[in-house]
Amino acid sequence: MGQVTSTAAVSSRAKGNRSSNYIKSRSTAASVSPMLNTVADDVDNDGEGANRDYISDLPDECLASVFQSLSSADRNRCSLVCRRWYQIEGQSRNRLSLIAQSDLLPFIPTLFSRFDSVTKLALKCDRRSVSICDDALVLISRRCPNLTRLKLRACRELTDSGIQAFAKNCKSLKKLSCGSCTFGSKGMNAVLDNCANLEELSIKRLRGITDVEAADPIGPGTAASSLKTICLKELYNGQCFSSLILGAKNLRTLKLFRCPGNWDTLLQLMANQVTSIVEVHLERLQISDVGIQSIANYSNLEILHLVKTPECTDFGLVAIAERCRLLRKLHIDGWKVNRIGDEGLIAVAKCCPNLQELVLIGVNPTKLSLEMLASNCLNLERLALCGSDSVGDPEISCIAVKCVALKKLCIKSCPVSDHGMEALASGCPNLVKVKVKKCKGVTSEGGDWLRLTRGSLAVNLDTGQSENENPGASASNGGAQANGIEFSPMPNQTAAAGASTTIASSSTGRSASFKSRLRLLSGRSLVDRTLRRWPGTRGSTSARH
């Protein structure tokens, strides 16, 4: 039986009872056909009757492939058609999501008798509810020994004992994600010791480690050679994972978010022991240029996110630029401390010609650095400038002229006006999406002008005013919704912080020439539409009297 990938959200009580009832009916020998009433025209050449069910001629594998293209809700509905569809739909699922409340336990046997091919499982509990306990997790592990992915959310009743038993039964695990759970270092070490194929580990708010000094060091275990990605979020005890990070010899991606403690020392040790890093995300960490210089030793680094790390300066960014010449994506949130600016960005422009995506938040680049980036980074396709006091119309005009390859542009909370929109109307020939938010000098007229002059360009403009304050401030009759876009990441990329915003404006003065050009274009468009609808014109340019 072929397996398909889909997601099922199955509630612990209602779905459990339904699954139990259906499992009982599967023991009958006959498969009930869902299509018994067909028209007389369906009689085939062999003279068979009109009740022929052609779907029953499809092999199980073909029917499973059809289910693969359906949404989870549609798959659930299809499973009610007949016993055969019920059986095939259940056996062809390999991804399942369950509400992991305590009353799920009695329904686990029937659920996993039906969904017996599950390899990817999510167990999520509401934070106000009592989650499943160790017994339920152990029973699931016995029913699903081939699990490759497990996601646990707010399963606070799970202990080290339950995780240890699970790890012994599911040794094929490749990806583990835990959030707001209460087991500790013994459970984590059991996973790392038993799951030799573990490739991705994501831990968020692990409550079971309360004393960093007394806790057992975590990892690396038998997963030392297989781990490719480690992500630690909001861990007061994040330093306990130092042994795991240093022991993961083939680690490629390291993400550290809001974990207290000084991380410079670990990054210095990593430079000598872990050599395969290509992606680093650091957010709200105590890290200085010392740690950044250590990251610069990774000559194959392609993606770097520095988000709200106030001790990092131009000095560290220059080191990254000079040694990491393969850099493709750079995100910097300077947090308005002005310690990263033109010097670091000019170094990136000189040394990183492969740069494709640049996100600057709370950074104040000038026309000098932006011009160098545009001139030297000829592959720059995605640019976000957010909360930059120095980015105005001259800088946007520079981008419009120089950034030939640019496809997506996001501008937020910058002193840009309608004149900047005019520059974009005639520049950036490959531009497909523009988002502007909270730029007080950009008005709805500026957005309309950009749309009218670049008809294929998707413009997302938000005036930042409610309809009651200014009913006419929308960006062209619902255009903001029709053409609204997200500053969406390319494949395998995390959405840029601050670049995924919808874009804005408010009224300021405009030049008379700009308003006259806008009225001219709008007038022509209105006349053209009117003439096309006038009876008897048939494409002529004058109305027939």
Side-chain angles (χ1 to χ4, degrees):
M1 172 63 61
Q3 294 184 359
V4 293
T5 302
S6 66
T7 305
V10 183
S11 68
S12 59
R13 184 174 300 162
K15 295 294 184 183
N17 290 332
R18 182 181 299 176
S19 295
S20 178
N21 292 335
Y22 286 139
I23 294 297
K24 293 178 183 177
S25 66
R26 289 171 61 189
S27 60
T28 58
S31 294
V32 180
S33 170
M35 299 183 180
L36 296 178
N37 297 319
T38 55
V39 295
D41 294 339
D42 287 338
V43 178
D44 59 14
N45 294 331
D46 295 332
E48 294 183 5
N51 289 333
R52 173 74 178 274
D53 175 14
Y54 294 98
I55 293 182
S56 63
D57 296 336
L58 286 176
D60 290 352
E61 289 77 6
C62 292
L63 196 55
S65 297
V66 173
F67 291 152
Q68 183 180 10
S69 64
L70 302 179
S71 66
S72 177
D74 288 338
R75 289 191 64 149
N76 290 337
R77 296 185 186 99
C78 286
S79 68
L80 305 179
V81 169
C82 65
R83 295 187 186 118
R84 178 181 177 235
W85 286 27
Y86 175 84
Q87 181 177 8
I88 294 173
E89 194 279 328
Q91 291 178 345
S92 63
R93 280 188 192 259
N94 68 356
R95 181 176 297 177
L96 194 63
S97 179
L98 300 177
I99 298 176
Q101 296 177 1
S102 57
D103 52 359
L104 176 67
L105 179 60
F107 304 112
I108 288 176
T110 53
L111 279 171
F112 289 96
S113 292
R114 176 186 175 189
F115 304 112
D116 55 3
S117 299
V118 171
T119 59
K120 303 172 185 178
L121 178 64
L123 300 172
K124 304 177 183 180
C125 184
D126 190 290
R127 294 183 179 182
R128 294 168 295 183
S129 303
V130 178
S131 74
I132 59 172
C133 61
D134 291 342
D135 292 341
L137 185 64
V138 173
L139 183 56
I140 290 173
S141 68
R142 291 172 180 168
R143 293 276 182 167
C144 304
N146 296 320
L147 274 184
T148 59
R149 294 188 181 184
L150 176 66
K151 179 183 291 187
L152 300 174
R153 289 292 180 270
C155 295
R156 292 184 172 84
E157 301 301 314
L158 296 180
T159 68
D160 285 330
S161 298
I163 299 297
Q164 287 173 326
F166 170 86
K168 292 178 181 178
N169 292 331
C170 298
K171 296 185 177 183
S172 299
L173 200 67
K174 292 184 177 181
K175 183 176 180 179
L176 175 63
S177 176
C178 303
S180 299
C181 294
T182 54
F183 59 88
S185 57
K186 292 182 179 179
M188 285 304 313
N189 279 324
V191 172
L192 296 168
D193 289 335
N194 289 278
C195 303
N197 297 318
L198 191 67
E199 297 178 357
E200 296 184 34
L201 180 65
S202 179
I203 307 296
K204 181 178 180 180
R205 291 195 295 267
L206 187 64
R207 309 297 190 188
I209 306 174
T210 56
D211 188 346
V212 177
E213 296 180 357
D216 296 332
I218 295 176
T222 60
S225 60
S226 62
L227 267 174
K228 302 293 190 301
T229 300
I230 295 177
C231 178
L232 306 179
K233 295 183 179 181
E234 300 177 23
L235 294 177
Y236 293 107
N237 39 52
Q239 302 288 336
C240 289
F241 290 84
S242 297
S243 298
L244 173 62
I245 295 172
L246 294 174
K249 305 300 182 182
N250 297 313
L251 189 66
R252 294 178 60 82
T253 300
L254 177 64
K255 300 180 181 181
L256 302 174
F257 301 91
R258 301 178 293 281
C259 296
N262 191 328
W263 291 87
D264 282 342
T265 302
L266 175 65
L267 293 174
Q268 287 178 299
L269 294 173
M270 281 182 60
N272 298 322
Q273 300 184 41
V274 185
T275 59
S276 303
I277 295 290
V278 297
E279 182 175 355
V280 175
H281 295 237
L282 305 175
E283 179 176 326
R284 292 204 181 188
L285 284 189
Q286 184 181 341
I287 182 176
S288 67
D289 287 337
V290 174
I292 298 300
Q293 285 183 295
S294 300
I295 295 174
N297 290 317
Y298 299 118
S299 58
N300 292 322
L301 188 71
E302 298 181 7
I303 301 172
L304 176 62
H305 289 205
L306 294 176
V307 179
K308 297 179 180 178
T309 53
E311 296 181 34
C312 298
T313 70
D314 277 328
F315 185 76
L317 185 57
V318 170
I320 291 287
E322 291 177 347
R323 301 180 197 173
C324 306
R325 295 176 178 264
L326 300 180
L327 200 65
R328 294 186 298 108
K329 300 176 184 179
L330 177 62
H331 291 206
I332 300 176
D333 187 340
W335 221 4
K336 289 290 186 180
V337 295
N338 294 325
R339 304 191 72 180
I340 294 179
D342 274 351
E343 183 181 353
L345 295 175
I346 288 173
V348 171
K350 290 180 177 179
C351 303
C352 304
N354 296 324
L355 195 67
Q356 297 176 354
E357 178 171 303
L358 178 62
V359 175
L360 300 177
I361 305 170
V363 178
N364 291 319
T366 66
K367 184 178 178 181
L368 178 62
S369 58
L370 290 175
E371 188 171 15
M372 289 197 66
L373 284 164
S375 300
N376 295 348
C377 302
L378 301 180
N379 296 318
L380 187 63
E381 296 182 349
R382 298 175 296 280
L383 176 62
L385 302 169
C386 306
S388 301
D389 297 332
S390 61
V391 176
D393 292 335
E395 287 70 28
I396 297 301
S397 298
C398 173
I399 291 171
V401 173
K402 298 286 186 178
C403 292
V404 179
L406 196 65
K407 294 182 178 179
K408 298 179 182 179
L409 175 63
C410 176
I411 311 168
K412 177 183 176 183
S413 299
C414 295
V416 178
S417 73
D418 286 342
H419 294 292
M421 300 299 100
E422 287 187 77
L424 288 177
S426 58
C428 298
N430 292 305
L431 198 62
V432 294
K433 296 181 182 179
V434 173
K435 297 197 285 188
V436 183
K437 182 176 183 179
K438 296 181 181 178
C439 297
K440 295 182 179 180
V442 181
T443 68
S444 57
E445 291 180 354
D448 289 339
W449 165 261
L450 191 55
R451 286 191 184 89
L452 289 169
T453 54
R454 296 280 293 269
S456 61
L457 184 63
V459 180
N460 193 333
L461 182 68
D462 183 0
T463 62
Q465 297 177 347
S466 66
E467 293 183 359
N468 293 332
E469 293 174 347
N470 186 0
S474 64
S476 81
N477 297 331
Q481 293 181 355
N483 295 319
I485 58 170
E486 292 294 325
F487 191 75
S488 55
M490 301 300 280
N492 300 323
Q493 172 195 346
T494 306
S500 60
T501 50
T502 335
I503 308 179
S505 69
S506 73
S507 264
T508 59
R510 278 88 60 196
S511 66
S513 61
F514 175 79
K515 291 195 289 185
S516 64
R517 290 197 299 271
L518 179 61
R519 284 195 297 268
L520 178 61
L521 282 174
S522 301
R524 286 177 180 174
S525 178
L526 178 62
V527 170
D528 290 343
R529 288 197 300 270
T530 304
L531 290 178
R532 281 197 297 268
R533 295 175 181 175
W534 196 280
T537 57
R538 299 186 183 276
S540 63
T541 56
S542 59
R544 184 177 300 171
H545 296 285

